[in-house]
Amino acid sequence: MKRKTLKHVCCSAAVVFTLLGGASVSRVYAESLESRSNKEIAIPLFDQVPEATALFPDTLLSWDAKNDPDAPFNSSKVPLATRVQGKKMNVDQSTEAKVLSIAIVNRHTKGTPSQGGTDKAVYNFTNWQYVDTLVAWAGSSGEGIIVPPSGDITDVAHRNGVPIVGTVFFPPEAYGGKSEWVEQFVQKDRTGKFPMADKLLEMSAAYGFDGWFINQETNVDAQTATAMKECMSYLQARKPKKQQVIWYDSMIPTGAVDWQGALNEQNQGYFQEGKKRVSDKMFVDFRWQNLETSRAKAVQLKRDPYDLFAGIDVQANGINSRRKPSSILGENGQPLLSLGLYCPDWTLRDGGQYDVDRYWENETLLWINSQGDPRSVESAKSEWQGVSRYYVEKTPITSVPFLTNFNVGNGDGFYLDGTKVKEGSFNNRSIQDVMPTYRWVIDNEAGNQLEATIDYKDAFNGGSSINLSGTMTADKRTFIQLYASQLKVSASETAAVVTKGADNVSLVLELKGKEKPVTIQGEQQMLANGWVQTTYSLKAASGKAITTIGLDIKNNQTGPASIRLGQLRIGKEKKVSISPVSKLTFSGKTVIDDLTESIRIRWETKGKNTNSYRIYRKVAGTWQFEGETANNSYTLLNQERIEDTANYRVVPVDHYGREQQSKGTTAVYPFEALKKPEIAINASSTLVSVGETITLDATVSKSTETVNWEVVGATPETASGQEMTLSFAKAGTYSVRATAVNASGETEIIKEKYLYVYDQNTGIKIENLSVLPTTTADQGSGYTNEGESYRFALDGNLKTKWCDNSSDKPWMIADLGTVKTIAGFELFHAGAGGESSEWNTREYDISVSDDGSNWRTAVQKRGNTLDHSKDAIGLVEARYVKLVLEKAEKNGKTARIYDWQIIGVDQTGIVKP
């Protein structure tokens, strides 16, 4: 399949270590669990917050959930809900064909936070009613090829009744694929077992997801191809009944990757072998032409044709793709096979460019239609019809209580009971609610013009609500059909809806066997901040199956309206026995800076009648909301030090949305002891003429209260603040002293003879030594092709680059031809060349040498995020300069250097002994 390389961004502050021309201080705050634990408070230190798993075959074999500190944060505690079909909303909908979504649900393969974060722009998919299985697509040769879904996406998929599977991706050779990975994967042990297959089953059980999608696109030999089929059969024989093994139409029995675009004799053995099922589903490659033959072959093999999924690639063009949902229809207007969508996350990525408003618009176009109404059949076959045109909706609403806050799992702030309790953008798919089955079925009486949108400006619980906005006429009704369901209720049951901005809201239920829906009036109760709860008796629905749930809305006045739906509950609130929370512990920490820590917490509970858990922190005597999860492990991000300790409390929430305070528990967290500040300094230039301005800047610990500068001979000689701007009236070399101060003390840094000031009459000419005719580059770790070799990093052209995607630590050497005087470096990373800034070099070292053998470190850069980084150094004479990318990307290893300027003077003798 076509794919994008999935990468990760790290937003830490840049730190420069200039070892030539002065000492500096390293800002290393945390080490991995394996290397050490905090000896003062015995809370393990981690370099990063818990991340989703990404492995290679050898690391899969050594993986063990009990020894993986991130595993508790990647497991899902939400069981797979039972769901049923709703009624057909248009004549074209199939009740038999299915939909497989192969979506890049996380922005990166490696480095994905296990439980969300502060970025609102995530793929928080909500149109689950059309998807029968979700493949959490991921994998790259540099980050990991065996990738289970992150726990948060499993939570929400299961809440909506959708099975979710992880990815085993063997890349094509052009994308770094290695035949040995496939060989390792299918290797048997002495007893005839497949250890890798056993590990896949172990991981899916530990994390709570539903199987694996196997994408084998690396050319291998016939023996390995046969072993792959045996391995899949082994999985089939041992997997739990409801788990799935899905095969991508790629490799054939010879071991060659030869996409068939069909189910045929070449690949049928990976689908069905005689009476033995090998894979539960097959994704038929995009090259398909005649789906009739694949359907016939499935029937011949005595398999359901709808276990085959005809692939449509929407990654690049989305709704403008050549093939449409109508492309797989037979002469009877029904799908010949099921539908497989590759990268419908186009709605956020290529189609939305991570703009959340565009994402919601694209979601409507891709999954529903341009009319935004699943009943519509207006779109022509030459247009994208929307998935709703041909695939009937499904619903997990099969029992009471059912509760939704219309929370889509991200937002600009978090609300509890109608009050904003936490500022700032977030994403947390773990607590996404079941959203309406129908987007949107709205009938406005004459004069009303209400339209529905997902809205982040106000919410009842979570980060969003449904906003019905437009003109309304007094006493004219607007009907919105929200959910399909299969519910039976007793006469004592009730329902409730929480709204804002509506004068009258009636509950409308369709009942099985009843020709007309039942409309029920309710009793209103005022809540906080303008929210109103209307409660309804369900006596009229007693003993009958409720098949749809909707609302009739009226206002008393004519004019513009903005009506919010904040909560819907079906089922009378009852007293329930809920499991207590106990043994709240702090299982790890990541020190962001000396005033900020991200804290891993865990607690014990049996989880009976529990929907989620809310975490609070006591601030100034008040319990302040910090987060919510369906798991019993959670990461509190970016906790600010207010005092040396902090009190935290975990409270279980039942299925009616009620906090059970008496069943909660608390614990006290000790922050790292505050130390003296850390400081590193850099100059805008270290080689300037008399009278020219220089800016000095300090990178310091967050706790730093001030920085005091002293440069004897400068104008001015002293200053306070993180920056100092100065100049010099006389030529010479000058030292820099900087002192950082915080509540624990002072830290001083001195760079001797750091700045060189010359008289303008000396003839010194500062230039980019990289582009001089004498400068060459023919040594390094490698490059992708001749058009991306080392010399393109030194040509002064931002349209060319050096690129190396095959080395763990890419490096190159520039030969200046003769010894020259060097004052600093400028690097232009991926973002400077028009690529994603997420691919900018994160960590690099620059060293210099006179002979190409003996090297002196000049720069160590850590935590870079800039497109264009600058590093000034104390003057040094050298002929050779080596650039080593310690981390070419945060989680990958591809070097992308569009330009490397070596700033200096084409002469020697400036540096005095």
Side-chain angles (χ1 to χ4, degrees):
M1 292 184 205
K2 294 186 294 184
R3 59 195 50 79
K4 290 189 172 180
T5 307
L6 308 180
K7 304 296 174 187
H8 180 58
V9 130
C10 175
C11 300
S12 58
V15 181
V16 182
F17 307 105
T18 308
L19 301 186
L20 293 173
S24 63
V25 179
S26 168
R27 291 181 66 196
V28 178
Y29 291 112
E31 300 174 9
S32 66
L33 177 64
E34 290 76 10
S35 58
R36 73 179 181 100
S37 294
N38 185 306
K39 294 179 175 59
E40 297 176 359
I41 54 178
I43 297 178
L45 289 167
F46 294 88
D47 289 331
Q48 66 283 315
V49 300
E51 296 180 349
T53 306
L55 302 170
F56 292 94
D58 58 342
T59 51
L60 171 66
L61 206 56
S62 61
W63 177 85
D64 185 343
K66 295 180 181 178
N67 298 323
D68 180 353
D70 288 357
F73 304 88
N74 288 316
S75 65
S76 173
K77 306 299 182 185
V78 179
L80 180 63
T82 300
R83 69 176 191 169
V84 296
Q85 288 187 351
K87 65 180 181 180
K88 291 179 65 172
M89 296 305 290
N90 66 64
V91 296
D92 293 335
Q93 285 186 331
S94 170
T95 58
E96 297 180 87
K98 301 176 179 65
V99 177
L100 178 73
S101 172
I102 302 179
I104 305 173
V105 297
N106 293 314
R107 190 180 292 206
H108 319 291
T109 288
K110 189 177 179 183
T112 296
S114 301
Q115 298 173 314
T118 58
D119 184 5
K120 180 182 174 184
V122 296
Y123 187 61
N124 59 320
F125 180 67
T126 64
N127 283 300
W128 299 100
Q129 66 272 28
Y130 297 111
V131 174
D132 293 277
T133 301
L134 175 70
V135 176
W137 171 253
S140 77
S141 60
E143 298 169 284
I145 63 171
I146 300 165
V147 189
S150 54
D152 59 342
I153 197 69
T154 302
D155 284 347
V156 64
H158 281 187
R159 190 171 290 119
N160 284 273
V162 176
I164 181 171
V165 302
T167 302
V168 178
F169 171 43
F170 298 105
E173 289 84 344
Y175 289 90
K178 300 178 181 179
S179 59
E180 54 261 39
W181 285 341
V182 189
E183 293 162 5
Q184 290 170 0
F185 185 79
V186 300
Q187 185 69 42
K188 291 181 181 179
D189 65 14
R190 294 178 180 177
T191 65
K193 294 181 178 180
F194 289 89
M196 297 286 181
D198 287 334
K199 278 293 179 182
L200 293 185
L201 296 174
E202 179 185 335
M203 180 173 284
S204 61
Y207 284 174
F209 60 94
D210 308 294
W212 293 92
F213 177 76
I214 300 178
N215 190 138
Q216 205 306 81
E217 293 186 89
T218 306
N219 287 289
V220 295
D221 57 27
Q223 182 180 353
T224 304
T226 298
M228 175 62 76
K229 185 168 63 175
E230 293 177 7
C231 182
M232 291 170 62
S233 297
Y234 182 91
L235 272 173
Q236 276 289 342
R238 286 160 177 79
K239 68 179 179 64
K241 184 177 181 180
K242 291 187 177 181
Q243 282 208 2
Q244 303 179 35
V245 176
I246 306 174
W247 176 254
Y248 172 48
D249 159 32
S250 48
M251 186 181 68
I252 59 175
T254 64
V257 175
D258 189 4
W259 304 274
Q260 299 299 295
L263 175 65
N264 57 26
E265 287 78 7
Q266 286 276 55
N267 59 21
Q268 69 180 42
Y270 294 98
F271 183 58
Q272 185 77 19
E273 188 75 61
K275 294 183 178 180
K276 184 170 62 177
R277 174 178 292 222
V278 179
S279 61
D280 299 287
K281 295 178 173 66
M282 179 186 283
F283 185 86
V284 178
D285 182 71
F286 318 119
R287 294 162 177 79
W288 53 264
Q289 296 296 327
N290 183 1
L291 296 179
E292 291 279 8
T293 60
S294 295
R295 183 180 178 88
K297 174 59 71 173
V299 172
Q300 179 190 336
L301 296 173
K302 297 182 180 179
R303 289 288 298 274
D304 185 346
Y306 292 124
D307 286 345
L308 298 176
F309 293 80
I312 297 182
D313 181 359
V314 295
Q315 180 178 29
N317 298 310
I319 61 171
N320 299 310
S321 300
R322 178 176 62 88
R323 281 183 162 142
K324 322 291 182 187
S326 60
S327 301
I328 69 174
L329 301 181
E331 293 181 357
N332 62 354
Q334 291 291 292
L336 290 165
L337 306 180
S338 290
L339 172 65
L341 290 178
Y342 178 67
C343 290
D345 52 276
W346 165 89
T347 54
L348 179 68
R349 295 171 181 268
D350 295 72
Q353 295 297 306
Y354 293 96
D355 180 286
V356 174
D357 291 335
R358 288 176 61 188
Y359 164 67
W360 288 115
E361 294 169 3
N362 290 336
E363 281 285 288
T364 296
L365 294 172
L366 184 77
W367 292 97
I368 316 302
N369 48 47
S370 57
Q371 295 77 35
D373 186 337
R375 296 172 296 184
S376 175
V377 291
E378 296 177 24
S379 299
K381 288 188 177 181
S382 59
E383 303 171 359
W384 184 271
Q385 301 84 24
V387 175
S388 70
R389 175 72 171 269
Y390 302 111
Y391 302 88
V392 73
E393 294 81 5
K394 291 95 177 175
T395 177
I397 306 174
T398 60
S399 63
V400 294
F402 168 72
L403 180 76
T404 179
N405 295 290
F406 307 108
N407 171 36
V408 295
N410 65 346
D412 298 312
F414 203 95
Y415 296 77
L416 288 179
D417 295 331
T419 299
K420 184 182 283 190
V421 294
K422 191 174 181 65
E423 297 282 354
S425 61
F426 76 94
N427 75 81
N428 184 358
R429 294 174 297 194
S430 174
I431 58 170
Q432 183 192 113
D433 288 314
V434 175
M435 295 299 290
T437 313
Y438 307 109
R439 319 282 178 79
W440 303 92
V441 172
I442 298 176
D443 294 320
N444 287 302
E445 284 189 343
N448 285 4
Q449 297 178 355
L450 293 187
E451 295 182 349
T453 57
I454 303 297
D455 189 82
Y456 296 109
K457 294 178 182 177
D458 198 359
F460 190 66
N461 281 311
S464 60
S465 60
I466 294 173
N467 188 23
L468 298 167
S469 60
T471 301
M472 291 193 78
T473 300
D475 297 323
K476 293 295 184 181
R477 113 189 218 283
T478 290
F479 169 71
I480 178 169
Q481 185 164 291
L482 293 172
Y483 291 96
S485 66
Q486 190 178 90
L487 294 173
K488 283 192 175 182
V489 296
S490 66
S492 63
E493 295 284 6
T494 62
V497 63
V498 176
T499 60
K500 180 185 285 191
D503 293 327
N504 182 275
V505 181
S506 303
L507 183 66
V508 181
L509 306 176
E510 290 189 15
L511 306 177
K512 187 175 182 180
K514 291 287 185 179
E515 187 174 336
K516 293 183 178 181
V518 173
T519 300
I520 305 172
Q521 302 298 321
E523 296 182 1
Q524 292 187 346
Q525 175 188 356
M526 297 301 297
L527 304 177
N529 299 319
W531 291 96
V532 177
Q533 177 174 288
T534 308
T535 304
Y536 312 90
S537 168
L538 295 181
K539 186 176 181 179
S542 174
K544 301 176 181 64
I546 301 172
T547 56
T548 70
I549 304 165
L551 301 173
D552 264 346
I553 299 171
K554 293 181 183 179
N555 270 0
N556 299 331
Q557 303 293 326
T558 298
S562 178
I563 296 169
R564 298 184 185 279
L565 307 183
Q567 187 183 82
L568 171 67
R569 170 179 54 81
I570 305 293
K572 184 178 181 179
E573 288 192 356
K574 301 174 183 177
K575 185 177 180 180
V576 294
S577 174
I578 191 169
S579 298
V581 174
S582 64
K583 297 183 180 178
L584 175 60
T585 58
F586 304 101
S587 58
K589 64 165 63 178
T590 298
V591 180
I592 310 303
D593 54 57
D594 58 352
L595 290 184
T596 314
E597 300 177 18
S598 290
I599 306 167
R600 302 179 181 213
I601 62 174
R602 297 181 65 181
W603 55 92
E604 292 185 6
T605 179
K606 293 182 179 179
K608 181 180 178 182
N609 292 324
T610 305
N611 184 67
S612 64
Y613 305 87
R614 290 180 185 155
I615 302 96
Y616 292 87
R617 176 182 178 178
K618 201 168 192 177
V619 178
T622 302
W623 288 106
Q624 173 181 289
F625 175 83
E626 290 294 343
E628 186 170 1
T629 181
N631 202 336
N632 63 343
S633 298
Y634 189 69
T635 304
L636 294 157
L637 297 175
N638 304 322
Q639 296 295 292
E640 295 287 340
R641 175 200 297 270
I642 300 173
E643 299 177 343
D644 290 340
T645 61
N647 289 348
Y648 289 96
R649 181 169 179 78
V650 176
V651 180
V653 180
D654 67 22
H655 293 293
Y656 297 96
R658 302 172 302 194
E659 292 185 0
Q660 300 284 345
Q661 288 287 344
S662 64
K663 300 300 178 71
T665 190
T666 60
V668 179
Y669 174 78
F671 282 89
E672 289 277 287
L674 186 63
K675 300 174 184 177
K676 292 181 180 181
E678 295 175 327
I679 180 171
I681 64 175
N682 194 26
S684 58
S685 177
T686 56
L687 180 60
V688 296
S689 64
V690 170
E692 188 175 351
T693 296
I694 296 175
T695 298
L696 300 172
D697 67 85
T699 302
V700 295
S701 306
K702 191 175 181 180
S703 65
T704 302
E705 297 167 2
T706 187
V707 177
N708 297 319
W709 300 89
E710 182 184 31
V711 184
V712 177
T715 303
E717 287 193 339
T718 61
S720 293
Q722 283 192 235
E723 286 189 353
M724 178 184 185
T725 301
L726 65 161
S727 62
F728 297 86
K730 294 182 180 181
T733 57
Y734 296 86
S735 300
V736 176
R737 180 195 304 268
T739 305
V741 181
N742 73 1
S744 290
E746 299 180 355
T747 302
E748 182 182 86
I749 182 172
I750 300 174
K751 289 196 174 183
E752 300 284 357
K753 298 180 180 180
Y754 181 49
L755 307 176
Y756 185 91
V757 181
Y758 61 91
D759 191 287
Q760 293 177 345
N761 298 321
T762 59
I764 289 177
K765 178 186 176 184
I766 302 172
E767 59 186 319
N768 178 12
L769 304 177
S770 299
V771 297
L772 295 179
T774 55
T775 300
T776 58
D778 55 16
Q779 296 183 67
S781 56
Y783 45 82
T784 57
N785 57 66
E786 285 293 337
E788 294 181 333
S789 68
Y790 313 117
R791 66 180 182 274
F792 292 108
L794 304 173
D795 62 0
N797 184 354
L798 289 183
K799 294 183 179 179
T800 62
K801 66 177 175 180
W802 165 48
C803 184
D804 177 1
N805 64 0
S806 61
S807 306
D808 290 334
K809 293 184 178 181
W811 61 275
M812 65 170 287
I813 294 176
D815 179 357
L816 302 180
T818 59
V819 174
K820 295 176 172 53
T821 301
I822 301 170
F825 311 93
E826 296 189 25
L827 278 165
F828 294 79
H829 308 279
E835 296 188 86
S836 171
S837 295
E838 296 181 3
W839 299 341
N840 289 343
T841 311
R842 289 303 184 267
E843 299 182 0
Y844 58 87
D845 293 349
I846 300 175
S847 53
V848 297
S849 173
D850 299 326
D851 57 9
S853 298
N854 299 297
W855 297 93
R856 294 162 285 161
T857 301
V859 172
Q860 288 184 310
K861 191 73 159 262
R862 300 295 181 262
N864 176 63
T865 60
L866 299 174
D867 296 345
H868 176 199
S869 59
K870 300 179 181 181
D871 307 305
I873 64 171
L875 299 190
V876 61
E877 292 184 352
R879 171 176 173 175
Y880 300 94
V881 188
K882 178 190 286 186
L883 171 64
V884 180
L885 307 192
E886 292 291 323
K887 282 191 177 181
E889 307 161 86
K890 174 60 170 68
N891 295 297
K893 59 183 183 180
T894 300
R896 298 177 178 86
I897 302 297
Y898 278 84
D899 203 35
W900 179 23
Q901 296 184 8
I902 303 171
I903 307 300
V905 183
D906 188 7
Q907 66 181 72
T908 58
I910 301 173
V911 179
K912 304 301 181 184

